[in-house]
Structures are given as C-alpha cells and as structure tokens.
Amino acid sequence: MKKIKLDSVQGDIIISQLKANPPVVLCGSAVSGWEPTSLPTGSHFTEGMFSLLFPHSCFVGNNELSVFVKKFFEKIPFEHLLERCPNQDKLRQILNRAFSIDRYNIIHKTLAERLVDGRISALITTNYDLCFDKVLDFADGSQISKLNREVIRVITENDFKQVSNAKAKIYFKIHGSADNINGETLVFALTHESYLPDWKRQILSDIIKSRPLLIIGYSGKDFEICPELVRMEIKQLIWNEKSDKLTYNAQRLLEMKNGIFLEGNMIDLFEIHSSINYANRDSVLLDSIQSQFSQNEIMEWRASLSNSMGFPSLAFKTADNLLSILSINGVDLDFIKAERQKAQALFHLGKYKQSAILFRQASKHAKQLKDDNLRAELLLDICSAYMSHGSFFRAIRCKNIAYAIAMTLNNENRQSRILGDFFLKDACIYGYLYPLIKGIRLPVLTKWFTRKGIQSLRKSSLYSLKTGNWFGFYHIRLLGEKMDIDPISLTNGIHYGPPPVKEGYEHLGYYIPQASYTRDQLSRRKGTLSPNEENELCKQLEICRITDNFPEIWKILWLGIKHDPQWRKNYDKLREFYHSFQACEYSIGMRILKLILGK
C-alpha cells in the first residue's frame, strides 16, 4: 500500500492518470452527506441512535458502564445496529421513506456527468437514495438513462439479465434502491449481507475487470463487498479518504492489491471549486424511528443489542423490566422474545443452568404458539447453555430435536440459518473435548476429532455465509483456530476470504470473543508474562469487570495465576478468581474440566 496526499505532486499525477484511463467509481454514503442532500452516513446514524436506545436512566449509579457502552456502541457497524431491531418490516418502510430523496449535490452531478461522457467507465454505489437516478434521468423506473442510452441502471437480477449491450455504462446500486415500492431490495442488516449472490458477483467482476477502481466516501465496513474485491482482477486500486483513519477492510484490501491510499477531500479530487458544506444532516430517519417505535420495541432493541455487544448485566436489567410490562397481556411473541433476551443475558453472566431453564420455558411457549422456527432456535440456545453447564447429553438431545424441526420448515432461509447453528453446536461439542484428547496424546483420536470438527465447521460455514450469520461465522473461525484447523480450509468452494478473528470481532463490535481471543493467544505460550502481555490481560480483565462477565474474569485470572508468580501471591486476585469461578454455574465434572483446560 502506498499513501499519497491529494494536494501533492504525486496526487496531481494520480488525477492525471484517472483522466487518461477512466476508472470504475465505487462510492458510499459520505457522497450523500454534502448539502443539499445532507443524508447521515452509517456512523453518524449510529451516533444519533445511542441516546434513543440508551437513555441516562439505563445507567443510574453506574457512570463507568455508560461511558464504556457508548465507546463500544460508536464502533459497531450500521448493519449490526439494524440487525437487532425487533421489527424489521417497520424499519424497512422507514428506511425506504427516509432515503426516497433525489435532491442531488454537486458530487452526484459531477459523477453522473462523467459516467455519461465516459470520464468514468462505471458507477457502483451502496447508497439507497435517488440522487444519481435523478441526475441520470431514469424516468418512471426505466432501466435506461434519458441522457445516454448506454447508461444502464442495475438493481435486481432481472436488470442484470437484461444488460445485453457490451458497451453499456453500468450504474450498479449494489445494496438496493429506495424507489422500490416496499424497499424489498434494500440491504441494511447483517443477515442481508450474505456472501454476494452469483449475479452480483458476476456483474461486479465484469465491471471492474482490468480497470482502475476508485473508491470514495466509503468506509469498507461491509461483510460482502470488500472480501469479494480481494479476489477480483483490478488494474489499479485507489482509495480516497479525507482522514488517515482507514478501516481494517480498507487497509487489508489496499495491502493485498498493492493499492494507493489517496488522502484528501473528494471535492479536490474532482476539482470542484464550488462552495458546499458537509453539515446539517437530515434527521428524518432518526425522528421517524423515535416516533414510530414503541417504548417496548425500544427496550427489546436495547436488550438484544446489549447482548450482541457483550453487556449482559444491562441486557438482563432491560429484558427483566420488559417482561414485567409484557406479562400483563400474557404470553405472546414479544413476551417470548423478551424471555430469550433475559436467558441470553444469564448465559453471558455465567448462569448457565438458569439460562437453560428460561430458554426451555421460552421454547415451550413457542411450541404453544406453533412457531416452529423460533422453537428450533430456542432449542439450540438451550443446547449452548447445557454444554456450558456440562450437561452434554441434554445438549445433544436438544440439538437433535432442533434439527428434526428445521427439516420440516418450508422457508429455506430460516432452515439454512438453523442448520448453520446446528452444525456449529456439533463442532462446539468436539471443540470442548479436543484439548483434553490432545493433552493425553492420543494421535488417532485427535485426528478423528479434528476430522469431525472440520466436517461440522465446513457445513456451518456454508450455511452461515449463505444466510449472513456473521456472528456464527466468526465463532466458526475462532473455534477452528482453537482446534488447530486452517481457517481457509473451512470455506473451500465458497467465494469468501475470512478475515482474522480479532479484526472480525472488532468489526462486529462484540468484545467478549475479543477478550477470549487475547486470552487464547497468551495461553499458547509458556513461561511468565511479559509486561506488555500482562498489561493486555489486565486491560481485558477491567473490561470484563465493568460488564460483569464472570466466565471471562475467572479465565483471565486463572491464566495469570498459572503464568505469573506475582499473580499467585496476590490475595485479591486469588479471591476474585474464587468468587468469579463460583459465580458460574458448572456441573462438578465441568468445573474439573475447566480448571484442567483453563478455558
């Protein structure tokens, strides 16, 4: 990767090269932040959502937790936040209305004009809005621009199939468009960002092949585009960003493609001399969510997001309060979902037996409502809780019942999601016992466990990528590393290169496995901890204390006690280890196994 300042001699050379060899332009939400469009970027929207989802009343008497939650909240991607919304249909309608604007700015106008006259060869955008569409004059939903009949708009697979002109200048809305009646093409949640469908991959490859690719106004915080670009034939990659803070995906792609990081304002890149502002962002989206979502929905959203970020005490408090409100109307779907969030919080707090009991209760309620999909999901939740408790036979039984239910479902996507989780639970069982088998040096049995683990993880990878289950996918990657399985082997035949575990979980904004990963890496070495390693361990320990993550607290302390004599002499650490270990609900056999393995 080469870094070049836009306002430099080298920057001028890059601009000249782009003029001589028209690039494909990939632009993100920052392009629509300029006036008069003034739409919020994903990161600005996330910032605005914090005060709505986490009001001050959530943190009474715990300012430290408030600061910490906000710090992590600001890092989570737009798609993670929206994935946890309890009413996806309502959210889709709100997004559709909020982005159905066509008040284009000078950046839209400049790029559209350059597409028409050939100064750029194709235009790809993740934006839903209709600004480019307005400039290019796609009247009445037409696929062909009135300004130039060679400019073709592609949103759906049917659009792709109708592109027959080899000289076509493609305008590709890769994440959908707000001018669909029901917003059915919009990609806004993690589950929508499965690995790219074949047709999207094909058109993306056709557009970019052997051409320069210029990326502007785009963070790269996606789960399907950047990994695909890694595999594609790009003549030259240029990534423009105003600041020098590139996301991991951007850095990874630039390094692998030996690209150029062009630092500077996109206004200067296109030599625009008009005075425009990047401010006064439209608040329609946030205002619509605030006015149209009920307080109960906001509470469920908060509980679900708190669990997925790794704040179980906050999730437990929210879900418990919500259950007391919903219990007035008896058991319905909302009540079951609140039960599930409370049970998930108990799981992260180390209360595995209580978690299993509450998950089981929710599963029975789902059965009463004849919701087989939810019941299967809850049975797999029970499986996880029983595994962590040490009740493996009960876990296996729940897992198998979930599989039987999944095979009766008519919805292919829901079935695939459950099967992905089913095979992940399979692999988890092998993963629990793998270190013990490896430790007692039984090569034949170790190979058998590895082979079975690979089989289950591969199947789980396939289903997880297919359904956009990125939390499941990164769990697969983490488990594979623990079992000494090459992560690349887990996605054979799948068009996706898995990011490393640490970066993947940071990208998701989920701190619990980040702490687990740090501990696992340190546990692989022998001898005392270096000062840097001890500082990293203490940093993770402090995070877990703030969030009441008792399972991780005792594991971190146990690692330090085993590796550092000073920790063994520290009475406070020994006492904290004992209390946090006792706070977790393990069977007697599991307690022994946990201490032997240290995890």
Side-chain angles (χ1 to χ4, degrees):
M1 178 178 74
K2 187 176 182 181
K3 182 177 177 180
I4 294 177
K5 293 277 189 179
L6 185 57
D7 57 349
S8 67
V9 174
Q10 289 179 307
D12 292 337
I13 293 173
I14 294 298
I15 292 175
S16 297
Q17 290 173 346
L18 291 173
K19 289 178 179 177
N21 193 358
V24 174
V25 174
L26 168 59
C27 60
S29 57
V31 169
S32 294
W34 299 94
E35 293 182 342
T37 314
S38 303
L39 284 172
T41 61
S43 59
H44 286 118
F45 171 73
T46 301
E47 289 173 13
M49 283 293 295
F50 182 78
S51 58
L52 174 61
L53 292 177
F54 296 94
H56 293 301
S57 57
C58 294
F59 306 105
V60 175
N62 198 341
N63 290 331
E64 189 177 28
L65 180 61
S66 172
V67 172
F68 193 69
V69 172
K70 186 172 183 180
K71 176 183 175 183
F72 265 78
F73 185 88
E74 290 172 349
K75 292 181 179 180
I76 65 171
F78 176 78
E79 295 85 356
H80 178 179
L81 171 59
L82 299 189
E83 174 71 22
R84 295 293 159 171
C85 175
N87 192 328
Q88 294 285 303
D89 291 336
K90 184 186 291 187
L91 180 61
R92 186 182 295 277
Q93 292 169 8
I94 290 173
L95 289 171
N96 211 39
R97 288 193 296 270
F99 286 95
S100 291
I101 65 169
D102 57 11
R103 53 174 187 267
Y104 60 84
N105 59 46
I106 197 166
I107 300 292
H108 295 120
K109 187 172 186 293
T110 300
L111 288 172
E113 288 175 347
R114 293 190 180 191
L115 178 64
V116 169
D117 65 25
R119 282 181 285 171
I120 66 176
S121 56
L123 180 60
I124 306 166
T125 183
T126 57
N127 299 348
Y128 317 132
D129 63 63
L130 308 178
C131 297
F132 285 123
D133 309 65
K134 178 70 173 180
V135 185
L136 293 168
D137 198 2
F138 288 103
D140 302 320
S142 171
Q143 192 184 358
I144 300 173
S145 168
K146 283 192 173 181
L147 298 182
N148 185 330
R149 293 190 61 80
E150 289 182 352
V151 178
I152 308 296
R153 185 175 75 160
V154 176
I155 302 171
T156 67
E157 184 175 5
N158 188 52
D159 294 337
F160 164 66
K161 290 177 179 178
Q162 293 183 38
V163 176
S164 56
N165 184 359
K167 295 182 179 180
K169 300 172 181 179
I170 303 296
Y171 165 45
F172 183 22
K173 303 188 80 170
I174 194 169
H175 279 175
S177 181
D179 60 352
N180 301 123
I181 296 174
N182 299 311
E184 63 272 13
T185 62
L186 300 188
V187 173
F188 60 84
L190 291 178
T191 48
H192 304 154
E193 290 191 354
S194 57
Y195 62 88
L196 283 181
D198 289 341
W199 73 268
K200 282 190 178 183
R201 186 182 303 109
Q202 183 63 55
I203 192 169
L204 191 63
S205 178
D206 291 346
I207 291 171
I208 292 173
K209 188 175 182 180
S210 301
R211 289 172 175 161
L213 175 62
L214 172 63
I215 300 178
I216 62 170
Y218 181 58
S219 68
K221 286 185 177 180
D222 62 81
F223 290 83
E224 88 283 40
I225 298 174
C226 283
E228 292 291 351
L229 293 177
V230 168
R231 296 169 175 264
M232 292 185 177
E233 185 181 340
I234 302 172
K235 184 174 183 179
Q236 183 183 38
L237 175 66
I238 302 170
W239 197 306
N240 170 242
E241 178 62 54
K242 185 177 180 180
S243 71
D244 61 356
K245 294 181 180 179
L246 288 173
T247 62
Y248 170 76
N249 270 356
Q251 292 181 49
R252 181 186 186 218
L253 183 58
L254 283 166
E255 288 169 0
M256 296 186 75
K257 292 297 185 181
N258 194 26
I260 295 172
F261 168 35
L262 192 61
E263 183 183 355
N265 198 314
M266 67 176 77
I267 295 292
D268 299 325
L269 173 62
F270 296 108
E271 300 174 306
I272 295 171
H273 304 296
S274 302
S275 177
I276 59 171
N277 297 316
Y278 195 83
N280 301 320
R281 295 179 185 88
D282 198 321
S283 63
V284 171
L285 179 55
L286 283 169
D287 292 344
S288 297
I289 290 175
Q290 187 168 9
S291 63
Q292 295 182 44
F293 276 84
S294 68
Q295 190 57 40
N296 287 353
E297 287 174 320
I298 293 296
M299 289 177 71
E300 185 185 339
W301 198 342
R302 182 192 312 142
S304 179
L305 192 59
S306 297
N307 270 323
S308 65
M309 290 169 61
F311 298 96
S313 55
L314 183 57
F316 178 87
K317 176 184 175 182
T318 303
D320 196 43
N321 290 340
L322 181 58
L323 278 171
S324 64
I325 296 170
L326 295 174
S327 61
I328 297 172
N329 297 322
V331 175
D332 57 10
L333 184 59
D334 290 334
F335 184 86
I336 297 171
K337 290 194 288 186
E339 283 183 311
R340 188 181 189 184
Q341 294 305 326
K342 182 177 178 180
Q344 191 65 54
L346 285 168
F347 179 89
H348 289 311
L349 290 166
K351 307 299 182 183
Y352 302 117
K353 191 172 182 179
Q354 294 180 52
S355 174
I357 291 171
L358 188 52
F359 275 135
R360 183 174 286 280
Q361 179 178 301
S363 176
K364 290 179 179 178
H365 289 151
K367 185 177 181 180
Q368 291 171 2
L369 294 183
K370 298 182 179 179
D371 191 329
D372 288 341
N373 178 70
L374 181 57
R375 184 186 171 212
E377 290 180 351
L378 286 163
L379 282 165
L380 291 173
D381 290 336
I382 300 168
C383 173
S384 294
Y386 274 142
M387 271 197 291
S388 296
H389 176 257
S391 304
F392 286 96
F393 289 111
R394 290 182 178 181
I396 293 170
R397 183 171 180 273
C398 290
K399 175 176 67 71
N400 291 339
I401 295 173
Y403 177 82
I405 294 173
M407 299 311 292
T408 66
L409 296 176
N410 294 323
N411 187 302
E412 183 181 354
N413 188 64
R414 289 180 176 179
Q415 183 184 73
S416 294
R417 193 169 181 86
I418 292 170
L419 289 176
D421 203 13
F422 167 82
F423 287 112
L424 177 57
K425 298 295 184 288
D426 239 9
C428 284
I429 293 173
Y430 295 118
Y432 265 113
L433 300 177
Y434 176 79
L436 185 63
I437 301 300
K438 184 181 177 183
I440 58 179
R441 301 181 185 280
L442 293 175
V444 175
L445 201 54
T446 301
K447 287 181 180 179
W448 184 85
F449 266 82
T450 302
R451 179 168 55 82
K452 296 295 287 185
I454 289 175
Q455 289 174 357
S456 294
L457 288 173
R458 278 181 177 169
K459 291 177 182 178
S460 187
S461 290
L462 175 64
Y463 286 116
S464 296
L465 287 171
K466 181 180 178 181
T467 58
N469 182 5
W470 297 108
F471 283 94
F473 180 77
Y474 285 123
H475 192 169
I476 293 162
R477 175 74 187 264
L478 181 61
L479 188 58
E481 288 198 7
K482 288 181 178 180
M483 295 179 68
D484 303 312
I485 298 170
D486 179 5
I488 302 301
S489 70
L490 300 180
T491 54
N492 278 354
I494 299 175
H495 300 278
Y496 189 81
V501 171
K502 185 174 182 295
E503 287 77 8
Y505 275 119
E506 285 178 356
H507 190 44
L508 279 171
Y510 188 22
Y511 94 86
I512 290 179
Q514 292 179 43
S516 176
Y517 178 78
T518 298
R519 177 175 48 76
D520 284 343
Q521 294 302 303
L522 292 177
S523 67
R524 292 172 181 264
R525 65 180 306 282
K526 296 181 180 180
T528 58
L529 300 172
S530 69
N532 287 338
E533 290 170 338
E534 184 175 5
N535 287 338
E536 181 62 25
L537 209 58
C538 288
K539 177 183 174 183
Q540 296 295 342
L541 181 60
E542 188 59 33
I543 293 172
C544 295
R545 285 169 177 160
I546 293 172
T547 58
D548 294 328
N549 183 0
F550 298 112
E552 202 60 39
I553 290 174
W554 79 255
K555 292 170 188 176
I556 291 173
L557 288 166
W558 187 237
L559 176 62
I561 289 167
K562 289 195 299 182
H563 282 268
D564 197 319
Q566 296 302 316
W567 287 51
R568 291 195 288 272
K569 296 176 183 177
N570 189 314
Y571 176 74
D572 289 335
K573 283 186 169 63
L574 292 171
R575 183 176 59 182
E576 186 178 14
F577 160 73
Y578 173 78
H579 287 301
S580 58
F581 186 61
Q582 285 298 111
C584 298
E585 295 177 344
Y586 299 120
S587 64
I588 294 174
M590 181 58 86
R591 288 192 184 278
I592 297 171
L593 183 63
K594 288 286 184 182
L595 291 177
I596 292 173
L597 300 176
K599 56 182 74 176

